[in-house]
């Protein structure tokens, strides 16, 4: 479609290290953009993406589709917003899925059909050890930010949406490769982080080994309120009131297999996410039509992404970080500030939020 058409759309589902340049180029060319999460691999990329979306007045929807997940929308409306939790002062988020690829394939020649230099783009050029498929590139920090940058983004974004949270006051994290030391993967297999707000801590934990404490909720978030607890995932939610005798509430994921039978034949589809993906795309199109902000606007996606990246910065430096979005700086920590922007390979140029 022509760039002057209001429904000119670019969908970005590449590995994470390409998101920023592609999104910025797309809005400059006049397109609205749907970009997958995490939006960026470093904080300054995200700042530049928000600046570009605003400068060129384009709608940018982030693929944090938990905000469009039917049973989570119900939980927000009927439990959180209805006041059933009371004051929430502690949140736990987790991922215990065994997502860390621990392979050690041999080096091999780059196949003729793959432009590996272009695929790598601004990221460091790793020796080629097979096709960088979905489960392989995600296990390297060169292309993303590990499990925290991949899976925490979804849960933290959902918690912020439900509780109306912005930037945290401080972020602290610890972790590393504690158990799965074999193979080439360089992402942490164990990590904890605390996103600190006034009278509220949001705690993240992941392990890519062992068993989850609650097999029904291996990737989930829990809101602990004075009146009750809400635990939720992409598959279900449960509300447990504090007072004995008050009603517990349970809701399962909404499927649309009868309404959309093509869901059953689409390759590699996540059936539980299909209704959310449809609603998310409809919201994106509606925002373009109405010239409004979508439910997962780029700024919200940036906050959720950047906070997870800052958790990795804290883990690397061994210190808490306090990020000031107004100055785009970490307060009082020159070493940590040096980690807000990754070096790019030439000839690619890192986007500058002041010059997009």
């Amino acid at each position: 479609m022509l760039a002057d058409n209001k429904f000119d759309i670019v969908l970005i589902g590449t590995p994470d290290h390409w998101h920023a340049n592609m999104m910025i180029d797309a809005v400059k060319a006049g397109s609205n953009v749907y970009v997958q999460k995490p939006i960026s691999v470093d904080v300054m990329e995200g700042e530049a993406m928000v600046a570009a979306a605003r400068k060129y007045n384009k709608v940018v929807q982030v693929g944090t589709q938990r905000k469009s997940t039917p049973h989570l929308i119900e939980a927000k409306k009927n439990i959180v917003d209805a006041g059933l939790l009371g004051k929430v002062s502690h949140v736990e988020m987790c991922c215990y899925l065994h997502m860390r690829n621990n392979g050690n394939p041999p080096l091999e020649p780059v196949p003729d059909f793959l432009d590996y230099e272009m695929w790598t783009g601004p990221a460091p050029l790793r020796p080629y050890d097979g096709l960088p498929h979905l489960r392989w590139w995600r296990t390297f920090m060169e292309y993303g930010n590990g499990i925290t940058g991949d899976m925490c983004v979804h849960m933290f974004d959902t918690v912020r949406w439900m509780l109306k949270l912005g930037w945290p006051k401080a972020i602290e994290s610890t972790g590393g490769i504690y158990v799965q030391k074999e193979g080439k993967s360089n992402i942490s297999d164990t990590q904890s982080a605390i996103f600190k707000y006034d009278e509220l801590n949001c705690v993240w934990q992941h392990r890519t080994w062992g068993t989850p404490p609650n097999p029904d909720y291996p990737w989930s978030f829990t809101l602990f309120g004075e009146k009750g607890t809400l635990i939720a995932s992409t598959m279900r939610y449960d509300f447990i009131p504090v007072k004995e005798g008050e009603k517990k509430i349970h809701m399962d994921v909404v499927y649309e297999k009868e309404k959309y039978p093509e869901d059953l034949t689409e390759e590699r589809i996540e059936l539980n996410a299909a209704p959310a993906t449809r609603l998310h795309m409809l919201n994106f199109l509606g925002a373009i039509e109405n010239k409004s902000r979508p439910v997962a606007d780029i700024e919200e996606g940036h906050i959720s992404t950047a906070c997870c990246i800052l958790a990795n910065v804290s883990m690397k430096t061994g210190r808490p970080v306090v990020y000031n979005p107004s100055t785009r700086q970490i307060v009082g920590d020159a070493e940590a500030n040096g980690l807000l922007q990754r070096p790019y390979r030439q000839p690619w140029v890192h986007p500058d939020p002041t010059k997009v």
Side-chain angles (χ1 to χ4, degrees):
M1 300 178 73
L2 297 176
D4 60 353
N5 189 305
K6 67 181 177 182
F7 282 107
D8 182 62
I9 291 170
V10 170
L11 307 179
I12 300 175
T14 64
D16 304 343
H17 67 286
W18 267 118
H19 289 181
N21 281 353
M22 288 183 174
M23 192 231 87
I24 293 169
D25 286 347
V27 297
K28 283 183 176 180
S31 298
N32 301 288
V33 179
Y34 187 113
V35 60
Q36 275 300 344
K37 64 82 218 169
I39 68 162
S40 62
V41 295
D42 68 44
V43 175
M44 285 303 108
E45 280 188 344
E47 294 283 7
M49 294 166 80
V50 175
R54 299 297 183 254
K55 179 177 179 179
Y56 298 100
N57 195 28
K58 291 299 174 182
V59 174
V60 181
Q61 175 88 302
V62 179
T64 46
Q65 71 267 37
R66 302 288 78 80
K67 293 173 176 174
S68 297
T69 301
H71 69 278
L72 295 181
I73 294 172
E74 285 293 310
K76 179 177 176 0
K77 176 182 176 183
N78 295 333
I79 295 174
V80 180
D81 293 347
L84 270 62
L85 293 175
K87 182 179 180 180
V88 176
S89 286
H90 185 73
V91 172
E92 293 180 3
M93 308 169 289
C94 67
C95 181
Y96 300 112
L97 304 177
H98 291 190
M99 296 180 62
R100 188 176 184 272
N101 194 315
N102 299 307
N104 193 20
L107 300 184
E108 58 183 85
V110 178
D112 292 338
F113 64 80
L114 176 64
D115 187 341
Y116 189 49
E117 283 276 350
M118 179 57 73
W119 185 93
T120 301
L125 186 68
R126 291 185 61 254
Y128 184 78
D129 50 16
L131 287 177
H133 55 81
L134 175 67
R135 300 301 175 205
W136 192 231
W137 69 257
R138 290 171 104 172
T139 199
F140 293 99
M141 292 297 288
E142 286 87 343
Y143 314 127
N145 276 285
I147 304 298
T148 298
D150 187 2
M151 303 300 278
C152 181
V153 171
H154 268 304
M155 292 300 145
F156 186 49
D157 189 79
T158 307
V159 168
R160 292 201 313 104
W161 165 61
M162 286 198 168
L163 299 181
K164 300 180 176 66
L165 301 174
W167 288 93
K169 303 292 184 182
I171 300 169
E172 186 171 3
S173 181
T174 184
I177 302 175
Y178 293 167
V179 176
Q180 297 172 317
K181 298 180 183 294
E182 73 282 5
K184 295 180 179 178
S185 175
N186 58 15
I187 65 174
S188 66
D189 66 9
T190 309
Q191 189 171 348
S192 300
I194 304 176
F195 305 93
K196 302 177 183 180
Y197 292 87
D198 291 333
E199 298 186 346
L200 168 65
N201 284 338
C202 295
V203 180
W204 164 258
Q205 180 171 301
H206 79 249
R207 281 183 284 108
T208 59
W209 51 272
T211 61
N214 186 340
D216 288 335
Y217 288 97
W219 179 40
S220 60
F221 65 88
T222 306
L223 309 181
F224 293 93
E226 58 183 334
K227 297 180 182 179
T229 299
L230 172 67
I231 181 168
S233 72
T234 61
M235 299 302 297
R236 59 182 64 85
Y237 77 74
D238 283 284
F239 169 70
I240 304 97
V242 168
K243 285 188 177 180
E244 190 174 344
E246 289 190 355
K247 183 181 178 182
K248 296 181 179 180
I249 304 173
H250 172 86
M251 185 175 178
D252 288 315
V253 62
V254 174
Y255 291 108
E256 297 177 329
K257 293 178 283 188
E258 292 79 14
K259 187 176 180 181
Y260 297 98
E262 59 269 27
D263 282 359
L264 299 175
T265 58
E266 184 175 334
E267 186 178 356
R268 292 175 55 192
I269 191 173
E270 295 181 12
L271 283 174
N272 65 300
T277 301
R278 277 188 281 269
L279 285 177
H280 217 52
M281 185 59 71
L282 287 171
N283 177 267
F284 175 47
L285 297 175
I288 296 171
E289 177 70 26
N290 299 321
K291 298 181 180 179
S292 60
R293 299 277 171 85
V295 68
D297 176 62
I298 184 64
E299 185 171 1
E300 294 303 315
H302 169 51
I303 295 173
S304 297
T305 296
C307 287
C308 293
I309 294 171
L310 290 166
N312 287 339
V313 170
S314 172
M315 181 176 67
K316 187 169 184 177
T317 62
R319 298 184 294 276
V321 296
V322 177
Y323 183 70
N324 184 338
S326 298
T327 61
R328 302 188 178 114
Q329 291 282 301
I330 293 172
V331 178
D333 194 327
E335 180 190 3
N337 275 312
L339 300 175
L340 293 178
Q341 178 172 316
R342 296 189 187 190
Y344 268 25
R345 281 201 317 143
Q346 293 183 344
W348 288 275
V349 177
H350 195 288
D352 183 338
T354 67
K355 298 178 182 179
V356 293

